[in-house]
Amino acid sequence: MSFVGLNIAGNVMRATRSAMDISGQNIANADTEGYTRQEAVISLLVSGSSLESSITGGNVSTRMTEVKRYRNELMDGNYRTENQILGEREGLDKYLTEVSSIFSDVSDYSLSDTLNKFWNSWNTASQTPEDVALRNQILEQGKILVSSIKLKATGLQELKETVTKDIYTQVDELNSLTEQLASVNSQISLAYNNVSQTNTLLDQRDLILDKLSKIADVQVVEQKDSRVNVYLDGTPLVDGNNSYDVEAQINSDNEITFVKENGREVEIKQGLLKGYKEARDEYIPSYMDELNEFASSLIEKVNQYHSTGYGLDESTGLNFFSGTDAFDIDVNITDPRQLALSSTTLESATAINLEGETITTTGTIADQADSFGITPEGSGVVSVNGVEVAWTDSQTLNEILDSIGSATGITVKFDSSSQKIILSSPTDSSSITVSDVSGNFAAFTGLAGMSSTTGSVGNGENGVRIFELSTEKLWNNQSFTDKYTGLVSRIGYETSTVNTTKGTQEQYVEMIDEIRKSESGVSIDDEMMSMIKYQTTYQAAAKYASVIDELFQTLLSDFG
Amino acid sequence: MRLPDSLMYENLLFNINKSKSKINDIQKEIASGQKLLTPDSDPTAYTRLATAKATRSKLSGYQENIELAHGKLSQYDDTLGSVYDLMLQLKTTTVAAGNATSGDNGADVYKAKVENILKGLISLGNTNVDGTYAFSGSLTDTPPFETADNGQYITEVSYKGDNQSKIYNLDASERMEINLSGREVFLGTAGNDESIFQITMDIRDSISENGVSNIDDHLEKLQSAMDRMLLKRGEVGNDVQHLEDLETFMDTMGLNLDTRISGLQDTDLAEAAVKLVSMQTIYNASLAMASKLGQMSILDYLR
């Protein structure tokens, strides 16, 4: 009889104590981020080859041979790859949602409703153009419209600045993470033989890698000694115990670029940084361009009509809007009497002899709705849109009109009921320029009036023409409302698409994470069960030791 | 599959938050009464809504114009009626003056009476509503008729307005030109022969102790002026009828658009309330489940 029995009991008690400690550590860290479940591996201790076994004749005992770390490395890799894609979607989604809320105008004070009210104010005032109070309405609605356009423009501008700041913050985060990783690497190489310390460091390492994968598409290469090297676009961010910083810079095109310490530009293809960059350099500028295009067309079109009309105070040639884009658009007119609601239509000639008349004409007609009353006399050459048409005394007025029409493609006809010559351009946006090349200009009282006589107070034709702009199809069959609505619905579509793909990717990443965690996460139930298991084993071993002890006692006392 | 505790709680929290945010969305819909809170909630409906609103807004503009034109025409109709009445009175007076026998000393009385009718006609011509002159064409701040007199009688009436028609946009393609300038209504287009004022002044000047000279000629001119006036009123009446038809048409169209807009943007309260209740049930269930699961522990079964 040897002390082998006590040896066995001691080994079992030592092994189960360690195993219980590990269960305790698991329970304590059940909620610790990045903690990986560990398990004691208790295996046979065959002491057959040792000196001891040669004495005892080959007894068997147990000991804790390993602390196993439950980590699914395949799923870790999958998780990080998919997390990079998710990062990009999340970054883009975050700011597109913001854009969407800037343009979330479904209320009665939205830009499109303001635009409708603006057009209607022209209509209302034009029906009684002499009413200054109604004219004031145009100025008020104009100011509201201008401020809501500016609000959107500055909203986008400010958002762009916010994204820029966020990019800087994320780059700082990236640099801080790579720095931490380099330090963890150096500790891993030092603690290579200490199992429990190494496991903790590996947890830290994996957590940092998870976080890194959200920010950018980094490539991870694990070394034999469990240290990892991290590369971005082929250049190292972490190489062993060293880390290298990345910096965000704004280039000459006002776009974000990422530059390494050594000056090399790196391309980030996934992750939050990519999403933010897309929002800042692609989506927001394109929305801004479209908003600017909308504003500048509004300025241009309204001004084009407004400047040809006449105000109550006989002013003309004034622009309604000042500025050129969504940022500097403003209402130029301050005096409501200067609003050019009147067109240049002049009083028609009361008597005109159609037989054998000849015409000449000068001046600029901005729109097909313009008409002139004239008193033709004399002869000469008329130039319409640069096309010169000559006539002789022998032609009738209608023949002359026909020859102008066929030479220029412009519809020219004499309306006998209103005693007016109507020039209509086949394309609505081009203007008609009429001037006399030779001939008796002075005879044309109506046209002479073009430049000297102003419109009359009761005429609201020009205002109505501006009102008609509201549904005029200016771009590819699109009106101002369509244009703006097109922008907003584009934002809506893009936001909801990104939001949906983000949601799908999120679920995918969640699923992978769940598989990962189902292996590496701590289950209290499991731990309690192993606790009981080890406790019972420990108790049994202790009992065994005490029985052996009793045996010795018996032996010693009987022989003593 | 193993289910670690942290994963279980993460899942519970995720699902609770999900149903809570859905409840929040429905509450917002109900509280604001609007379905489309941001353009990304339904971009297609948003586009349709904006187009419908723009169409509705423009229609309101046209409805306003039609109402204005209608008011204006009714006012013209009243004025033309009064002018016709005065002309009828002039006719009676002329016939009476023509039948007067010599020595009645009535000539001055008739002359004064005609002069009053003339003044009445001029004042109707200078009708001013809400600060604008109805018959001066587009020069609405100028009284259309100016008179000159010889101390006793008005000798000349001149027109200071213009011949411009008032144009109302009734819809995108239709414009109603209301050409009731003073020249058109009172002066006519064929020179002095058609001018109501000239006819009246001529009648006045023809009255003498011996009746009215050239009475047939005068009455004939007066009658044709009255016929023209009736014709004008008839035209006004036709226009009014057309406007009324348009009004009815546009009211129906407006109602249809309003229904469409409401369908696109307004929350269907009944539907939203039902959705809210069902979401609440789910939310309650997930909370109850969380509390039940939280109570379950292996520790309860271990001594």
Side-chain angles (χ1 to χ4, degrees):
Chain A
M1 189 161 161
S2 70
F3 292 108
V4 173
L6 284 180
N7 255 345
I8 293 172
N11 278 339
V12 171
M13 282 159 75
R14 206 177 305 123
T16 47
R17 268 290 299 147
S18 306
M20 276 195 277
D21 281 351
I22 286 168
S23 274
Q25 187 189 332
N26 281 343
I27 293 170
N29 286 300
D31 282 329
T32 307
E33 192 188 10
Y35 180 77
T36 306
R37 177 169 66 106
Q38 297 175 18
E39 198 181 78
V41 178
I42 295 177
S43 44
L44 284 175
L45 173 69
V46 182
S47 30
S49 60
S50 68
L51 180 68
E52 195 183 14
S53 69
S54 66
I55 299 165
T56 61
N59 284 295
V60 174
S61 180
T62 54
R63 69 163 185 189
M64 188 175 85
T65 49
E66 191 191 344
V67 179
K68 192 176 175 197
R69 195 170 161 265
Y70 278 89
R71 195 81 198 180
N72 186 335
E73 263 143 36
L74 178 69
M75 280 299 154
D76 274 348
N78 278 353
Y79 176 82
R80 283 169 200 148
T81 316
E82 297 304 328
N83 204 27
Q84 288 169 5
I85 300 172
L86 176 62
E88 184 264 344
R89 291 282 101 178
E90 248 177 44
L92 192 55
D93 180 66
K94 179 176 172 189
Y95 286 105
L96 284 190
T97 310
E98 296 256 348
V99 172
S100 194
S101 73
I102 291 176
F103 285 85
S104 74
D105 45 13
V106 281
S107 74
D108 286 345
Y109 305 100
S110 66
L111 202 152
S112 50
D113 283 3
T114 312
L115 188 64
N116 290 341
K117 284 178 191 153
F118 172 71
W119 296 128
N120 274 11
S121 67
W122 284 97
N123 174 55
T124 310
S126 298
Q127 306 306 318
T128 36
E130 58 276 6
D131 191 332
V132 177
L134 289 178
R135 282 171 177 256
N136 257 325
Q137 278 297 311
I138 300 180
L139 293 185
E140 288 313 310
Q141 290 299 341
K143 280 177 200 158
I144 294 172
L145 178 63
V146 160
S147 73
S148 50
I149 292 176
K150 277 183 174 170
L151 210 64
K152 310 261 177 248
T154 50
L156 282 179
Q157 186 63 42
E158 278 162 15
L159 191 62
K160 194 171 173 179
E161 279 155 24
T162 314
V163 188
T164 313
K165 276 183 203 149
D166 218 346
I167 289 176
Y168 287 138
T169 314
Q170 284 304 329
V171 168
D172 286 348
E173 173 80 15
L174 177 77
N175 291 336
S176 142
L177 285 173
T178 52
E179 212 173 290
Q180 285 174 36
L181 191 59
S183 126
V184 168
N185 268 350
S186 70
Q187 288 176 47
I188 287 176
S189 61
L190 291 176
Y192 194 55
N193 291 319
N194 182 330
V195 176
S196 114
Q197 203 186 343
T198 306
N199 279 347
T200 311
L201 287 169
L202 290 181
D203 282 352
Q204 280 184 26
R205 182 199 71 180
D206 288 342
L207 184 62
I208 292 171
L209 289 176
D210 284 355
K211 285 184 178 167
L212 269 179
S213 70
K214 187 68 162 280
I215 299 176
D217 54 330
V218 291
Q219 294 90 45
V220 179
V221 179
E222 189 171 351
Q223 309 295 305
K224 275 182 189 157
D225 58 359
S226 294
R227 294 192 298 173
V228 286
N229 288 348
V230 173
Y231 299 89
L232 179 63
D233 193 20
T235 73
L237 291 184
V238 176
D239 184 12
N241 302 347
N242 300 316
S243 67
Y244 305 96
D245 279 358
V246 172
E247 198 191 341
Q249 293 176 350
I250 296 173
N251 69 9
S252 54
D253 294 333
N254 192 20
E255 284 180 352
I256 289 279
T257 55
F258 301 103
V259 182
K260 287 270 309 277
E261 273 168 350
N262 60 9
R264 182 176 178 254
E265 201 178 298
V266 286
E267 196 193 341
I268 295 179
K269 298 181 202 76
Q270 293 292 355
L272 277 177
L273 282 174
K274 169 69 174 174
Y276 289 165
K277 185 176 154 57
E278 275 178 303
R280 185 193 181 276
D281 294 341
E282 289 169 35
Y283 287 83
I284 295 177
S286 100
Y287 299 148
M288 207 118 90
D289 285 352
E290 218 168 305
L291 186 67
N292 274 335
E293 195 188 322
F294 167 77
S296 60
S297 317
L298 185 71
I299 296 168
E300 189 196 328
K301 269 289 165 186
V302 172
N303 283 351
Q304 182 194 325
Y305 286 130
H306 191 268
S307 60
T308 58
Y310 294 87
L312 268 185
D313 59 353
E314 306 189 349
S315 58
T316 186
L318 297 173
N319 281 337
F320 181 78
F321 286 120
S322 61
T324 52
D325 60 25
F327 290 95
D328 59 3
I329 183 172
D330 225 323
V331 176
N332 185 41
I333 305 278
T334 48
D335 181 353
R337 298 178 334 120
Q338 288 181 340
L339 286 171
L341 297 179
S342 258
S343 71
T344 55
T345 314
L346 296 165
E347 189 183 350
S348 60
T350 45
I352 188 164
N353 182 3
L354 287 173
E355 281 301 310
E357 283 298 346
T358 53
I359 62 159
T360 184
T361 170
T362 190
T364 303
I365 310 171
D367 185 68
Q368 56 175 345
D370 266 356
S371 53
F372 295 90
I374 57 165
T375 325
E377 189 184 296
S379 65
V381 178
V382 65
S383 160
V384 178
N385 272 3
V387 180
E388 293 184 3
V389 184
W391 70 83
T392 65
D393 284 348
S394 60
Q395 285 174 293
T396 66
L397 180 59
N398 280 336
E399 280 167 356
I400 295 165
L401 298 182
D402 282 349
S403 66
I404 294 174
S406 58
T408 59
I410 289 166
T411 313
V412 188
K413 62 177 191 218
F414 183 79
D415 178 22
S416 57
S417 68
S418 64
Q419 301 281 297
K420 287 169 187 170
I421 288 170
I422 314 285
L423 296 112
S424 326
S425 168
T427 50
D428 56 3
S429 57
S430 68
S431 63
I432 304 172
T433 310
V434 185
S435 61
D436 69 326
V437 177
S438 66
N440 196 356
F441 167 66
F444 299 94
T445 53
L447 291 162
M450 261 294 282
S451 49
S452 62
T453 311
T454 56
S456 39
V457 295
N459 166 324
E461 274 286 278
N462 203 44
V464 169
R465 215 162 55 186
I466 293 177
F467 168 63
E468 292 294 342
L469 272 178
S470 64
T471 44
E472 211 170 289
K473 306 290 188 193
L474 297 163
W475 310 261
N476 310 324
N477 220 16
Q478 278 193 313
S479 66
F480 278 110
T481 304
D482 296 340
K483 177 95 179 154
Y484 178 72
T485 311
L487 168 63
V488 178
S489 67
R490 201 187 114 204
I491 292 171
Y493 277 121
E494 286 176 354
T495 308
S496 77
T497 307
V498 170
N499 195 285
T500 310
T501 51
K502 181 201 119 189
T504 317
Q505 186 65 20
E506 204 165 36
Q507 276 181 352
Y508 188 40
V509 170
E510 283 282 314
M511 195 190 79
I512 295 173
D513 198 29
E514 232 170 74
I515 296 172
R516 237 169 36 136
K517 279 190 177 151
S518 74
E519 279 187 58
S520 64
V522 177
S523 160
I524 304 283
D525 294 357
D526 279 10
E527 300 307 328
M528 290 316 293
M529 293 320 285
S530 21
M531 198 76 112
I532 291 167
K533 188 175 79 188
Y534 293 131
Q535 193 186 2
T536 315
T537 314
Y538 185 89
Q539 282 168 345
K543 187 72 188 169
Y544 175 54
S546 97
V547 168
I548 296 284
D549 180 44
E550 270 176 42
L551 288 180
F552 278 117
Q553 291 299 330
T554 315
L555 194 66
L556 288 174
S557 62
D558 285 2
F559 286 86
Chain B
M1 192 167 107
R2 273 186 86 249
L3 187 70
D5 290 64
S6 60
L7 191 62
M8 187 180 79
Y9 284 110
E10 259 172 43
N11 283 343
L12 277 176
L13 199 64
F14 178 76
N15 288 323
I16 289 175
N17 280 339
K18 208 160 87 179
S19 44
K20 200 170 178 182
S21 92
K22 273 186 190 164
I23 288 182
N24 187 39
D25 286 349
I26 300 175
Q27 271 172 344
K28 267 198 260 175
E29 266 186 32
I30 294 176
S32 65
Q34 292 193 327
K35 275 196 285 202
L36 299 168
L37 292 165
T38 46
D40 57 309
S41 48
D42 190 348
T44 319
Y46 176 82
T47 315
R48 288 204 193 113
L49 178 64
T51 313
K53 274 187 168 178
T55 317
R56 181 69 187 98
S57 166
K58 194 148 196 209
L59 188 71
S60 304
Y62 290 133
Q63 280 176 317
E64 208 176 284
N65 296 357
I66 290 172
E67 212 170 290
L68 269 176
H70 196 166
K72 191 108 185 161
L73 281 179
S74 308
Q75 176 209 322
Y76 277 128
D77 191 44
D78 289 351
T79 313
L80 293 184
S82 307
V83 170
Y84 188 79
D85 288 349
L86 276 180
M87 287 163 92
L88 207 62
Q89 216 178 316
L90 178 63
K91 192 176 171 186
T92 325
T93 311
T94 310
V95 173
N99 291 339
T101 46
S102 122
D104 264 357
N105 282 338
D108 283 347
V109 178
Y110 284 121
K111 277 192 178 191
K113 209 169 174 182
V114 173
E115 178 75 2
N116 278 338
I117 290 171
L118 178 62
K119 281 180 182 160
L121 285 171
I122 291 169
S123 113
L124 281 174
N126 285 340
T127 301
N128 186 318
V129 180
D130 298 335
T132 60
Y133 289 95
F135 291 102
S136 46
S138 66
L139 306 173
T140 48
D141 56 350
T142 318
F145 296 108
E146 216 174 72
T147 55
D149 55 51
N150 59 9
Q152 190 182 8
Y153 297 123
I154 291 168
T155 53
E156 202 189 319
V157 182
S158 52
Y159 181 59
K160 294 292 170 196
D162 64 16
N163 207 25
Q164 277 224 39
S165 336
K166 179 84 199 161
I167 295 169
Y168 291 95
N169 292 53
L170 304 184
D171 70 37
S173 55
E174 188 181 355
R175 289 167 169 226
M176 178 173 274
E177 213 168 313
I178 301 181
N179 190 355
L180 286 169
S181 66
R183 175 173 284 157
E184 176 113 4
V185 175
F186 292 91
L187 303 184
T189 47
N192 279 345
D193 275 2
E194 287 189 359
S195 163
I196 294 170
F197 301 125
Q198 197 58 50
I199 292 168
T200 314
M201 284 189 287
D202 287 349
I203 290 173
R204 183 196 63 205
D205 296 341
S206 307
I207 296 173
S208 68
E209 301 293 318
N210 303 317
V212 183
S213 55
N214 291 331
I215 184 162
D216 291 345
D217 192 23
H218 289 311
L219 283 176
E220 194 185 314
K221 278 183 187 167
L222 181 59
Q223 188 55 51
S224 61
M226 285 168 76
D227 290 348
R228 276 200 307 277
M229 197 60 64
L230 274 181
L231 210 66
K232 268 263 161 309
R233 279 193 80 182
E235 281 170 15
V236 170
N238 284 343
D239 283 351
V240 168
Q241 183 59 49
H242 180 56
L243 288 178
E244 279 168 359
D245 290 349
L246 266 181
E247 267 173 355
T248 318
F249 172 67
M250 286 198 175
D251 283 349
T252 318
M253 224 162 99
L255 202 65
N256 288 342
L257 276 171
D258 287 342
T259 316
R260 212 165 108 208
I261 290 169
S262 162
L264 284 168
Q265 73 171 10
D266 296 345
T267 310
D268 181 342
L269 279 179
E271 193 192 320
V274 170
K275 252 201 258 172
L276 183 64
V277 170
S278 90
M279 277 324 297
Q280 270 172 339
T281 314
I282 295 171
Y283 182 56
N284 274 334
S286 58
L287 284 180
M289 193 171 73
S291 86
K292 282 269 156 50
L293 282 176
Q295 281 167 12
M296 265 164 41
S297 165
I298 192 170
L299 297 172
D300 293 341
Y301 303 95
L302 298 175
R303 272 177 295 111

